[in-house]
PDB file of all heavy atoms in Angstrom:
ATOM      1  N   LYS A  21     -47.520   2.705  11.649  1.00  0.00           N
ATOM      2  CA  LYS A  21     -46.251   3.209  11.106  1.00  0.00           C
ATOM      3  C   LYS A  21     -46.263   4.737  10.971  1.00  0.00           C
ATOM      4  O   LYS A  21     -45.227   5.384  11.045  1.00  0.00           O
ATOM      5  CB  LYS A  21     -45.951   2.552   9.762  1.00  0.00           C
ATOM      6  CG  LYS A  21     -46.941   2.892   8.651  1.00  0.00           C
ATOM      7  CD  LYS A  21     -46.577   2.173   7.361  1.00  0.00           C
ATOM      8  CE  LYS A  21     -47.549   2.556   6.239  1.00  0.00           C
ATOM      9  NZ  LYS A  21     -47.221   1.847   4.972  1.00  0.00           N
ATOM     10  N   LEU A  22     -47.494   5.296  10.781  1.00  0.00           N
ATOM     11  CA  LEU A  22     -47.572   6.759  10.721  1.00  0.00           C
ATOM     12  C   LEU A  22     -47.317   7.371  12.090  1.00  0.00           C
ATOM     13  O   LEU A  22     -46.673   8.419  12.213  1.00  0.00           O
ATOM     14  CB  LEU A  22     -48.939   7.189  10.197  1.00  0.00           C
ATOM     15  CG  LEU A  22     -49.235   6.880   8.733  1.00  0.00           C
ATOM     16  CD1 LEU A  22     -50.645   7.346   8.376  1.00  0.00           C
ATOM     17  CD2 LEU A  22     -48.220   7.566   7.831  1.00  0.00           C
ATOM     18  N   ILE A  23     -47.840   6.713  13.148  1.00  0.00           N
ATOM     19  CA  ILE A  23     -47.618   7.214  14.506  1.00  0.00           C
ATOM     20  C   ILE A  23     -46.134   7.159  14.849  1.00  0.00           C
ATOM     21  O   ILE A  23     -45.565   8.109  15.397  1.00  0.00           O
ATOM     22  CB  ILE A  23     -48.453   6.395  15.506  1.00  0.00           C
ATOM     23  CG1 ILE A  23     -49.952   6.534  15.182  1.00  0.00           C
ATOM     24  CG2 ILE A  23     -48.156   6.828  16.935  1.00  0.00           C
ATOM     25  CD1 ILE A  23     -50.851   5.662  16.033  1.00  0.00           C
ATOM     26  N   LYS A  24     -45.507   6.045  14.500  1.00  0.00           N
ATOM     27  CA  LYS A  24     -44.066   5.922  14.749  1.00  0.00           C
ATOM     28  C   LYS A  24     -43.280   6.896  13.879  1.00  0.00           C
ATOM     29  O   LYS A  24     -42.295   7.498  14.318  1.00  0.00           O
ATOM     30  CB  LYS A  24     -43.631   4.485  14.463  1.00  0.00           C
ATOM     31  CG  LYS A  24     -42.183   4.211  14.810  1.00  0.00           C
ATOM     32  CD  LYS A  24     -41.844   2.751  14.557  1.00  0.00           C
ATOM     33  CE  LYS A  24     -40.380   2.490  14.892  1.00  0.00           C
ATOM     34  NZ  LYS A  24     -40.003   1.069  14.627  1.00  0.00           N
ATOM     35  N   GLY A  25     -43.753   7.060  12.629  1.00  0.00           N
ATOM     36  CA  GLY A  25     -43.061   7.976  11.723  1.00  0.00           C
ATOM     37  C   GLY A  25     -43.122   9.418  12.196  1.00  0.00           C
ATOM     38  O   GLY A  25     -42.161  10.177  12.039  1.00  0.00           O
ATOM     39  N   LYS A  26     -44.261   9.807  12.817  1.00  0.00           N
ATOM     40  CA  LYS A  26     -44.366  11.178  13.320  1.00  0.00           C
ATOM     41  C   LYS A  26     -43.377  11.420  14.451  1.00  0.00           C
ATOM     42  O   LYS A  26     -42.784  12.507  14.566  1.00  0.00           O
ATOM     43  CB  LYS A  26     -45.797  11.450  13.783  1.00  0.00           C
ATOM     44  CG  LYS A  26     -46.013  12.906  14.167  1.00  0.00           C
ATOM     45  CD  LYS A  26     -47.471  13.197  14.467  1.00  0.00           C
ATOM     46  CE  LYS A  26     -47.662  14.682  14.765  1.00  0.00           C
ATOM     47  NZ  LYS A  26     -49.076  15.009  15.059  1.00  0.00           N
ATOM     48  N   GLY A  27     -43.180  10.399  15.299  1.00  0.00           N
ATOM     49  CA  GLY A  27     -42.182  10.536  16.358  1.00  0.00           C
ATOM     50  C   GLY A  27     -40.776  10.678  15.787  1.00  0.00           C
ATOM     51  O   GLY A  27     -39.966  11.489  16.269  1.00  0.00           O
ATOM     52  N   LEU A  28     -40.485   9.863  14.749  1.00  0.00           N
ATOM     53  CA  LEU A  28     -39.173   9.976  14.104  1.00  0.00           C
ATOM     54  C   LEU A  28     -39.005  11.327  13.405  1.00  0.00           C
ATOM     55  O   LEU A  28     -37.899  11.883  13.373  1.00  0.00           O
ATOM     56  CB  LEU A  28     -38.997   8.835  13.101  1.00  0.00           C
ATOM     57  CG  LEU A  28     -38.875   7.426  13.703  1.00  0.00           C
ATOM     58  CD1 LEU A  28     -38.879   6.370  12.593  1.00  0.00           C
ATOM     59  CD2 LEU A  28     -37.596   7.316  14.528  1.00  0.00           C
ATOM     60  N   LEU A  29     -40.105  11.849  12.850  1.00  0.00           N
ATOM     61  CA  LEU A  29     -40.031  13.161  12.206  1.00  0.00           C
ATOM     62  C   LEU A  29     -39.671  14.239  13.220  1.00  0.00           C
ATOM     63  O   LEU A  29     -38.832  15.111  12.946  1.00  0.00           O
ATOM     64  CB  LEU A  29     -41.378  13.474  11.547  1.00  0.00           C
ATOM     65  CG  LEU A  29     -41.518  14.871  10.932  1.00  0.00           C
ATOM     66  CD1 LEU A  29     -40.517  15.067   9.796  1.00  0.00           C
ATOM     67  CD2 LEU A  29     -42.943  15.091  10.425  1.00  0.00           C
ATOM     68  N   LYS A  30     -40.284  14.158  14.408  1.00  0.00           N
ATOM     69  CA  LYS A  30     -39.960  15.141  15.455  1.00  0.00           C
ATOM     70  C   LYS A  30     -38.505  15.003  15.892  1.00  0.00           C
ATOM     71  O   LYS A  30     -37.792  15.999  16.081  1.00  0.00           O
ATOM     72  CB  LYS A  30     -40.898  14.947  16.633  1.00  0.00           C
ATOM     73  CG  LYS A  30     -40.699  15.963  17.758  1.00  0.00           C
ATOM     74  CD  LYS A  30     -41.685  15.734  18.882  1.00  0.00           C
ATOM     75  CE  LYS A  30     -41.489  16.791  19.979  1.00  0.00           C
ATOM     76  NZ  LYS A  30     -40.123  16.774  20.539  1.00  0.00           N
ATOM     77  N   ASP A  31     -38.038  13.747  16.042  1.00  0.00           N
ATOM     78  CA  ASP A  31     -36.636  13.536  16.430  1.00  0.00           C
ATOM     79  C   ASP A  31     -35.684  14.083  15.368  1.00  0.00           C
ATOM     80  O   ASP A  31     -34.657  14.706  15.705  1.00  0.00           O
ATOM     81  CB  ASP A  31     -36.375  12.038  16.633  1.00  0.00           C
ATOM     82  CG  ASP A  31     -37.114  11.489  17.842  1.00  0.00           C
ATOM     83  OD1 ASP A  31     -37.491  12.311  18.715  1.00  0.00           O
ATOM     84  OD2 ASP A  31     -37.317  10.266  17.904  1.00  0.00           O
ATOM     85  N   TYR A  32     -36.017  13.857  14.095  1.00  0.00           N
ATOM     86  CA  TYR A  32     -35.147  14.355  13.032  1.00  0.00           C
ATOM     87  C   TYR A  32     -35.057  15.880  13.059  1.00  0.00           C
ATOM     88  O   TYR A  32     -33.972  16.456  12.912  1.00  0.00           O
ATOM     89  CB  TYR A  32     -35.663  13.891  11.663  1.00  0.00           C
ATOM     90  CG  TYR A  32     -34.909  14.534  10.518  1.00  0.00           C
ATOM     91  CD1 TYR A  32     -33.653  14.077  10.142  1.00  0.00           C
ATOM     92  CD2 TYR A  32     -35.443  15.639   9.851  1.00  0.00           C
ATOM     93  CE1 TYR A  32     -32.944  14.680   9.118  1.00  0.00           C
ATOM     94  CE2 TYR A  32     -34.749  16.256   8.832  1.00  0.00           C
ATOM     95  CZ  TYR A  32     -33.498  15.770   8.466  1.00  0.00           C
ATOM     96  OH  TYR A  32     -32.797  16.385   7.461  1.00  0.00           O
ATOM     97  N   LYS A  33     -36.192  16.546  13.262  1.00  0.00           N
ATOM     98  CA  LYS A  33     -36.174  18.000  13.301  1.00  0.00           C
ATOM     99  C   LYS A  33     -35.334  18.515  14.463  1.00  0.00           C
ATOM    100  O   LYS A  33     -34.584  19.490  14.325  1.00  0.00           O
ATOM    101  CB  LYS A  33     -37.600  18.538  13.395  1.00  0.00           C
ATOM    102  CG  LYS A  33     -38.408  18.360  12.115  1.00  0.00           C
ATOM    103  CD  LYS A  33     -39.794  18.977  12.251  1.00  0.00           C
ATOM    104  CE  LYS A  33     -40.566  18.873  10.940  1.00  0.00           C
ATOM    105  NZ  LYS A  33     -41.924  19.480  11.042  1.00  0.00           N
ATOM    106  N   ASP A  34     -35.422  17.831  15.614  1.00  0.00           N
ATOM    107  CA  ASP A  34     -34.626  18.257  16.777  1.00  0.00           C
ATOM    108  C   ASP A  34     -33.134  18.045  16.530  1.00  0.00           C
ATOM    109  O   ASP A  34     -32.317  18.939  16.791  1.00  0.00           O
ATOM    110  CB  ASP A  34     -35.066  17.484  18.020  1.00  0.00           C
ATOM    111  CG  ASP A  34     -36.479  17.852  18.451  1.00  0.00           C
ATOM    112  OD1 ASP A  34     -36.938  18.942  18.074  1.00  0.00           O
ATOM    113  OD2 ASP A  34     -37.120  17.024  19.150  1.00  0.00           O
ATOM    114  N   TYR A  35     -32.782  16.859  16.011  1.00  0.00           N
ATOM    115  CA  TYR A  35     -31.364  16.566  15.774  1.00  0.00           C
ATOM    116  C   TYR A  35     -30.780  17.469  14.676  1.00  0.00           C
ATOM    117  O   TYR A  35     -29.647  17.947  14.786  1.00  0.00           O
ATOM    118  CB  TYR A  35     -31.194  15.090  15.388  1.00  0.00           C
ATOM    119  CG  TYR A  35     -31.441  14.123  16.526  1.00  0.00           C
ATOM    120  CD1 TYR A  35     -32.197  12.967  16.325  1.00  0.00           C
ATOM    121  CD2 TYR A  35     -30.925  14.370  17.793  1.00  0.00           C
ATOM    122  CE1 TYR A  35     -32.428  12.077  17.368  1.00  0.00           C
ATOM    123  CE2 TYR A  35     -31.159  13.477  18.830  1.00  0.00           C
ATOM    124  CZ  TYR A  35     -31.908  12.339  18.625  1.00  0.00           C
ATOM    125  OH  TYR A  35     -32.134  11.469  19.653  1.00  0.00           O
ATOM    126  N   SER A  36     -31.548  17.678  13.616  1.00  0.00           N
ATOM    127  CA  SER A  36     -31.037  18.513  12.526  1.00  0.00           C
ATOM    128  C   SER A  36     -30.882  19.965  12.970  1.00  0.00           C
ATOM    129  O   SER A  36     -29.945  20.654  12.556  1.00  0.00           O
ATOM    130  CB  SER A  36     -31.967  18.425  11.313  1.00  0.00           C
ATOM    131  OG  SER A  36     -33.265  18.901  11.644  1.00  0.00           O
ATOM    132  N   LYS A  37     -31.799  20.423  13.834  1.00  0.00           N
ATOM    133  CA  LYS A  37     -31.660  21.793  14.352  1.00  0.00           C
ATOM    134  C   LYS A  37     -30.407  21.906  15.221  1.00  0.00           C
ATOM    135  O   LYS A  37     -29.684  22.920  15.159  1.00  0.00           O
ATOM    136  CB  LYS A  37     -32.902  22.168  15.153  1.00  0.00           C
ATOM    137  CG  LYS A  37     -32.912  23.618  15.616  1.00  0.00           C
ATOM    138  CD  LYS A  37     -34.164  23.932  16.410  1.00  0.00           C
ATOM    139  CE  LYS A  37     -35.393  23.862  15.537  1.00  0.00           C
ATOM    140  NZ  LYS A  37     -36.627  24.261  16.276  1.00  0.00           N
ATOM    141  N   THR A  38     -30.135  20.889  16.023  1.00  0.00           N
ATOM    142  CA  THR A  38     -28.918  20.894  16.837  1.00  0.00           C
ATOM    143  C   THR A  38     -27.675  20.885  15.945  1.00  0.00           C
ATOM    144  O   THR A  38     -26.684  21.581  16.225  1.00  0.00           O
ATOM    145  CB  THR A  38     -28.891  19.670  17.771  1.00  0.00           C
ATOM    146  OG1 THR A  38     -30.089  19.652  18.560  1.00  0.00           O
ATOM    147  CG2 THR A  38     -27.686  19.719  18.696  1.00  0.00           C
ATOM    148  N   SER A  39     -27.729  20.108  14.860  1.00  0.00           N
ATOM    149  CA  SER A  39     -26.601  20.078  13.917  1.00  0.00           C
ATOM    150  C   SER A  39     -26.382  21.457  13.299  1.00  0.00           C
ATOM    151  O   SER A  39     -25.241  21.915  13.160  1.00  0.00           O
ATOM    152  CB  SER A  39     -26.862  19.043  12.822  1.00  0.00           C
ATOM    153  OG  SER A  39     -27.033  17.765  13.368  1.00  0.00           O
ATOM    154  N   LEU A  40     -27.479  22.113  12.931  1.00  0.00           N
ATOM    155  CA  LEU A  40     -27.360  23.439  12.320  1.00  0.00           C
ATOM    156  C   LEU A  40     -26.748  24.445  13.290  1.00  0.00           C
ATOM    157  O   LEU A  40     -25.849  25.223  12.915  1.00  0.00           O
ATOM    158  CB  LEU A  40     -28.740  23.921  11.862  1.00  0.00           C
ATOM    159  CG  LEU A  40     -28.787  25.319  11.234  1.00  0.00           C
ATOM    160  CD1 LEU A  40     -28.009  25.345   9.930  1.00  0.00           C
ATOM    161  CD2 LEU A  40     -30.232  25.764  11.010  1.00  0.00           C
ATOM    162  N   VAL A  41     -27.211  24.442  14.538  1.00  0.00           N
ATOM    163  CA  VAL A  41     -26.661  25.373  15.541  1.00  0.00           C
ATOM    164  C   VAL A  41     -25.180  25.106  15.759  1.00  0.00           C
ATOM    165  O   VAL A  41     -24.364  26.041  15.838  1.00  0.00           O
ATOM    166  CB  VAL A  41     -27.454  25.256  16.852  1.00  0.00           C
ATOM    167  CG1 VAL A  41     -26.789  26.075  17.955  1.00  0.00           C
ATOM    168  CG2 VAL A  41     -28.895  25.719  16.653  1.00  0.00           C
ATOM    169  N   SER A  42     -24.797  23.823  15.856  1.00  0.00           N
ATOM    170  CA  SER A  42     -23.377  23.485  16.045  1.00  0.00           C
ATOM    171  C   SER A  42     -22.539  23.947  14.857  1.00  0.00           C
ATOM    172  O   SER A  42     -21.421  24.460  15.029  1.00  0.00           O
ATOM    173  CB  SER A  42     -23.222  21.969  16.236  1.00  0.00           C
ATOM    174  OG  SER A  42     -23.958  21.524  17.346  1.00  0.00           O
ATOM    175  N   PHE A  43     -23.075  23.782  13.644  1.00  0.00           N
ATOM    176  CA  PHE A  43     -22.354  24.214  12.439  1.00  0.00           C
ATOM    177  C   PHE A  43     -22.148  25.729  12.436  1.00  0.00           C
ATOM    178  O   PHE A  43     -21.044  26.219  12.162  1.00  0.00           O
ATOM    179  CB  PHE A  43     -23.133  23.774  11.197  1.00  0.00           C
ATOM    180  CG  PHE A  43     -22.521  24.204   9.894  1.00  0.00           C
ATOM    181  CD1 PHE A  43     -21.542  23.427   9.291  1.00  0.00           C
ATOM    182  CD2 PHE A  43     -22.905  25.383   9.267  1.00  0.00           C
ATOM    183  CE1 PHE A  43     -20.969  23.811   8.084  1.00  0.00           C
ATOM    184  CE2 PHE A  43     -22.341  25.777   8.073  1.00  0.00           C
ATOM    185  CZ  PHE A  43     -21.362  24.979   7.480  1.00  0.00           C
ATOM    186  N   LEU A  44     -23.199  26.481  12.753  1.00  0.00           N
ATOM    187  CA  LEU A  44     -23.100  27.943  12.745  1.00  0.00           C
ATOM    188  C   LEU A  44     -22.151  28.440  13.831  1.00  0.00           C
ATOM    189  O   LEU A  44     -21.356  29.365  13.606  1.00  0.00           O
ATOM    190  CB  LEU A  44     -24.483  28.561  12.922  1.00  0.00           C
ATOM    191  CG  LEU A  44     -25.485  28.296  11.792  1.00  0.00           C
ATOM    192  CD1 LEU A  44     -26.854  28.892  12.128  1.00  0.00           C
ATOM    193  CD2 LEU A  44     -24.978  28.843  10.466  1.00  0.00           C
TER     194      LEU A  44
END
């Protein structure tokens, strides 16, 4: 679950960064 969680953590950082750029 930690291995899967690390992948989800990377996906969250990518998606949230895209959201931030779109907002700005």
Side-chain angles (χ1 to χ4, degrees):
K21 65 181 182 181
L22 291 179
I23 299 175
K24 185 177 179 181
K26 187 173 183 180
L28 292 173
L29 175 63
K30 183 179 182 301
D31 292 340
Y32 172 78
K33 289 183 176 180
D34 293 338
Y35 290 136
S36 61
K37 186 180 293 184
T38 305
S39 301
L40 178 65
V41 173
S42 301
F43 178 86
L44 295 176

